[in-house]
Amino acid sequence: MTEDTLAEPAAAGPVETVVETVTTARGPTMIFEKDVPVPVGDGLVLRANVFRPDREGRFPVVMAHGLYGKDVHFADGFAPQWERLNTLHPDLFTTGTSGRFLRWETVDPEVWVPDGFVVIQVDSRGSGKSPGYLDPRSPREIQDYHDAIEWAGTQPWSNGKVGLIGISYYAFTQWAVAALQPRHLAAIVPWEGFLDYYRDAYRHGGIFSNGFTTAWWPRQVLVNQHGNGETRYRDRDTGRPNTGPALPAAMLEGNRTDYVGEFLRHPLRDAWYRERAPDPARITVPLLSAGNWGGPGLHLRGNIDGFLGAASAQKWLSVHDGTHFESFYLPDYVALQKRFFDRFLKGERNGFDDEPRVRLSIRSPHGAVRRDEHEFPLARTRWTRMHLDAASRALTPEPPSVESAVSYDAQGDGVDFSTAPFETETEITGFVSARLWVASSTTDMDMFAVLRAFAPDGSEVVFDGAHEKTPPSRGWLRASHRRLDPARSRPWRPVHAHEAIEPLTPGEPVAVDVEIWPTSLVLPKGYRLVLTLMGRDFEYPGVPGRMRHDHPQDRGGPEFAGTCTILTGGARDSALLLPVIPPR
C-alpha cells in the first residue's frame, strides 16, 4: 500500500462481527470471530477478536486488553521493532505460524489456540473499534477490563478460567485489574510492565520522564484512537482503517484526556496517581512476573515489586536480559508461559509448582546465564558499602578520613567515582542504593546516578537494553523530594514519599538517599565499577536516550541549572551500597 493510498481515509461502515474458519500453520483449524461485542458495566460495548479451537468443548481463556489495536499487525504498527526481531531471530515467525495475527506485545493466536486455549484481544475504550473516552490506564479502563474478564468467563466455549498475558501496557493493566479480583480471573503473566504509576514510569525520583511519554501519546495512541479517519493503520483483512467509522477532529479531541498535561499538573504522588497505582497486596491469583534487567525507567522495578508485594501463594519471578520485545516470543519462554497456564487454567499437574520461585539471567561482559534462586533479594547477599572520596574520585571499602567535596555543572558531564580493579571475579545482583551528602547553588538539584563498568583496557561494558544500549543500571532523585516513606524504605531500597516539595537552601549540605534500580552484573578480575553522578540524562554518544527527563516545564527552571556538589568523608560519609553475591 503506497503512502498516497494511506493519506486517503477509507470508508468504514458499521462494525459487525465476522466469523472465519482458519487453518493454522500447525494444521488444526481455529474459529476466528472478528469484532465480537463485549458489554461493560456502564452500557458501552467494546470490540474484541476471539480465536478458539474448532472443536467441541470448554477451554481456558488467554486475554489482553489495550489500545495498540487488535487489528494492527505487528509489522505495520511497530516496523523497526519487527525488523530488529526478525534480524535477531530470523526463524521466529516462520515456524508454526503464518504470522497473520501477530500483534504488538500480545500472544500469537496460531501458536496458542492449537494447544487448547481461547485467545481474546480487546480494543480498550476509545481505541480501535471500541468507542468511548480515551483515558489510558484510568480506573474506568481497568473496570472495563474487569467486566471483559467476567464476560469471557461465562461464554459457552469458556471453562470459566481466564488468564492474562502481555507486555508493558498489557502488563500494567494486569496488575491493576488483578487487584480488583474478578471472579473468573485465574492467573496472570505480566511481562515487562510497571506497577507504581508514579515511581516506576512517569516520575522517576520525582523527575518527569517525558522522553517516552510525549512520543508515545501521538505515535502509538492517538494514531489508534477510535474514529481517527486519518490513521495510517489499515486492517489487513479489509483494507479499512482499524479505528472504525471516522469522527470529526473536534469530537476526537473531546473524546480523549490531555495525557501529557495531566502528568505536568501532578508533580506529587497525589490522589490522581494513587488511584492509578494498584495495591499488589490485593492480588491473590497465581502469577508469573517477568522483568528485564535492561529496562530501567519502565520495565523492571514493577515486575520485582509486584512479585514481592502480591499476596498470591503461588508466584514466580523471572528476570531476563535482551530487548523489550524479544524474550516474550522466544520458544523457551513461550513454553514456560504455556506450562504456567496449563497448570493454573487447565488444572494439569505438570510439575510447575516445583519450579524455582526465582529465575534470573546473570549478566557479564561475555553474555548471560540463567540461574535458579529461591527468593529476591538473595538471602546470601553480602551488603557491601563502597565509600565515595571526592578528593581522589574513588570508591573505597573504607570511608575517607578527610572531608572533601567535588562540584560539577548541573547540565554538564558530571563526576565519576571508580573502584580499584577487582582482585577477584565479583557478582553484584539485587537492589542498589546510594546515601549521598549533596549541596546545590540553587534551591533544587536533580541527580542522575549511573552504575557503569569498565574493562582493564578502558572499554565500557554496555548491554543490549530493553530499547537501547544501556549501562548496568540507573537511578534518579530530585533533591526536593528527598523525604522517605519510612514504612517501606530499607537501607538497600529507599522508597520516597513524593508527598511534599522541600526546597534546598543554596550552599547548605543535606543527606539524600538515591534508589538505583536492581541489576545483575558479574565483574571479572581486573574490571572496575564506576558511579557517575550528573544533573541530566546520561546518554552514549550517538545514541539518544528513550527514557529522557528534559521537559522544559519540569526541568526548565534556573534551579536545575546551577552547580552541584558532592561531599564525602568524615561526618558526611557518602556511600554506594552494593549487593555482592558470594559464590555457591
Side-chain angles (χ1 to χ4, degrees):
M1 191 173 289
T2 67
E3 287 296 321
D4 289 339
T5 302
L6 290 177
E8 294 295 329
V15 178
E16 297 180 354
T17 302
V18 177
V19 182
E20 178 185 352
T21 300
V22 177
T23 301
T24 67
R26 287 170 52 184
T29 56
M30 67 179 179
I31 304 299
F32 169 34
E33 296 178 277
K34 187 185 188 71
D35 295 330
V36 176
V38 178
V40 293
D42 65 351
L44 193 77
V45 174
L46 307 179
R47 293 287 172 169
N49 289 346
V50 178
F51 306 83
R52 52 189 178 85
D54 185 17
R55 63 181 189 268
E56 293 296 321
R58 293 178 177 269
F59 307 95
V61 173
V62 172
M63 177 182 278
H65 170 279
L67 45 61
Y68 293 138
K70 64 180 180 59
D71 298 316
V72 179
H73 194 278
F74 189 150
D76 297 337
F78 298 86
Q81 293 88 341
W82 173 261
E83 292 170 5
R84 173 84 187 282
L85 192 52
N86 278 278
T87 299
L88 291 170
H89 305 281
D91 299 327
L92 190 59
F93 297 136
T94 58
T95 304
T97 178
S98 70
R100 173 185 169 187
F101 302 108
L102 282 163
R103 304 294 183 259
W104 174 246
E105 297 185 336
T106 60
V107 301
D108 183 351
E110 276 191 82
V111 173
W112 284 74
V113 174
D115 288 327
F117 295 95
V118 175
V119 173
I120 301 179
Q121 297 166 344
V122 187
D123 278 338
S124 57
R125 179 180 297 243
S127 70
K129 299 277 184 65
S130 295
Y133 188 76
L134 180 61
D135 190 2
R137 307 184 189 93
S138 64
R140 177 66 256 180
E141 183 179 286
I142 303 306
Q143 183 61 46
D144 287 346
Y145 202 174
H146 170 283
D147 297 346
I149 292 167
E150 300 298 69
W151 171 85
T154 58
Q155 297 308 298
W157 32 255
S158 170
N159 74 350
K161 291 187 177 182
V162 178
L164 310 180
I165 186 170
I167 313 176
S168 193
Y169 196 102
Y170 298 102
F172 169 80
T173 53
Q174 289 181 60
W175 296 119
V177 75
L180 297 183
Q181 301 181 348
R183 185 165 60 92
H184 292 284
L185 182 61
I188 61 173
V189 182
W191 207 272
E192 294 194 32
F194 63 85
L195 172 70
D196 188 315
Y197 213 70
Y198 189 103
R199 299 182 180 95
D200 293 352
Y202 293 107
R203 284 276 178 180
H204 299 135
I207 309 167
F208 179 36
S209 176
N210 61 285
F212 170 75
T213 309
T214 53
W216 177 79
W217 180 238
R219 184 185 305 162
Q220 297 181 25
V221 182
L222 296 188
V223 70
N224 195 49
Q225 184 180 1
H226 177 74
N228 182 358
E230 297 184 357
T231 180
R232 65 179 181 273
Y233 296 151
R234 292 295 181 271
D235 184 330
R236 289 189 176 189
D237 293 331
T238 67
R240 295 177 175 178
N242 69 295
T243 49
L247 297 174
M251 185 173 289
L252 288 175
E253 185 174 358
N255 280 356
R256 64 184 182 238
T257 186
D258 175 16
Y259 191 71
V260 177
E262 288 286 11
F263 293 114
L264 292 170
R265 285 189 287 272
H266 295 275
L268 296 175
R269 196 172 183 273
D270 56 15
W272 186 84
Y273 272 107
R274 288 195 297 272
E275 70 178 1
R276 286 163 171 77
D279 178 2
R282 289 187 49 79
I283 298 174
T284 59
V285 296
L287 70 89
L288 170 60
S289 176
N292 189 331
W293 291 127
L298 204 60
H299 293 128
L300 173 63
R301 189 183 189 277
N303 284 101
I304 292 174
D305 277 1
F307 167 77
L308 293 175
S312 308
Q314 296 160 307
K315 57 183 180 178
W316 287 263
L317 173 67
S318 174
V319 186
H320 51 263
D321 59 327
T323 68
H324 166 58
F325 40 84
E326 182 178 0
S327 65
F328 183 77
Y329 298 101
L330 295 180
D332 287 350
Y333 286 106
V334 173
L336 178 70
Q337 298 158 10
K338 287 182 178 178
R339 286 190 64 234
F340 175 76
F341 279 147
D342 283 343
R343 170 67 185 91
F344 296 110
L345 300 186
K346 297 179 181 178
E348 295 181 3
R349 296 292 177 179
N350 59 6
F352 200 94
D353 301 76
D354 299 324
E355 286 283 332
R357 290 304 175 104
V358 175
R359 183 167 289 169
L360 307 175
S361 289
I362 306 301
R363 302 184 298 178
S364 79
H366 310 301
V369 295
R370 297 287 284 172
R371 191 174 74 203
D372 296 342
E373 296 289 350
H374 302 290
E375 71 289 308
F376 194 89
L378 307 187
R380 63 185 185 280
T381 301
R382 293 177 181 167
W383 297 104
T384 302
R385 289 189 191 282
M386 299 298 290
H387 302 266
L388 282 67
D389 185 347
S392 63
R393 309 287 179 87
L395 289 169
T396 61
E398 300 297 327
S401 57
V402 177
E403 293 188 5
S404 58
V406 59
S407 297
Y408 57 90
D409 183 342
Q411 299 303 314
D413 293 332
V415 60
D416 297 335
F417 294 87
S418 175
T419 67
F422 282 86
E423 296 180 359
T424 59
E425 180 179 273
T426 303
E427 179 185 337
I428 297 166
T429 295
F431 295 113
V432 182
S433 67
R435 181 70 186 273
L436 305 175
W437 280 88
V438 303
S440 172
S441 64
T442 70
T443 58
D444 215 336
M445 176 178 172
D446 280 351
M447 282 163 283
F448 294 75
V450 190
L451 202 62
R452 305 165 70 187
F454 291 84
D457 64 3
S459 61
E460 186 165 359
V461 177
V462 181
F463 293 107
D464 281 331
H467 298 283
E468 62 202 26
K469 299 295 184 182
T470 186
S473 192
R474 308 173 192 243
W476 303 266
L477 180 65
R478 177 160 289 172
S480 60
H481 288 239
R482 62 192 177 276
R483 180 176 295 184
L484 296 175
D485 178 342
R488 297 182 60 190
S489 293
R490 301 291 182 270
W492 60 86
R493 185 80 188 285
V495 179
H496 297 88
H498 300 295
E499 294 176 348
I501 295 174
E502 299 175 304
L504 301 177
T505 300
E508 182 175 306
V510 297
V512 299
D513 297 275
V514 181
E515 176 190 6
I516 299 174
W517 282 32
T519 191
S520 178
L521 173 66
V522 175
L523 290 167
K525 179 181 177 180
Y527 279 65
R528 297 180 298 116
L529 193 69
V530 171
L531 176 65
T532 297
L533 299 174
M534 309 173 67
R536 59 175 176 83
D537 285 302
F538 171 81
E539 296 175 306
Y540 290 115
V543 185
R546 192 165 184 262
M547 301 296 170
R548 295 192 317 279
H549 306 74
D550 56 6
H551 197 286
Q553 286 182 242
D554 183 65
R555 282 183 40 82
E559 65 270 35
F560 304 114
T563 298
C564 304
T565 300
I566 308 297
L567 301 99
T568 66
R572 291 167 177 159
D573 181 25
S574 295
L576 178 68
L577 184 62
L578 296 172
V580 175
I581 309 300
R584 280 175 168 165

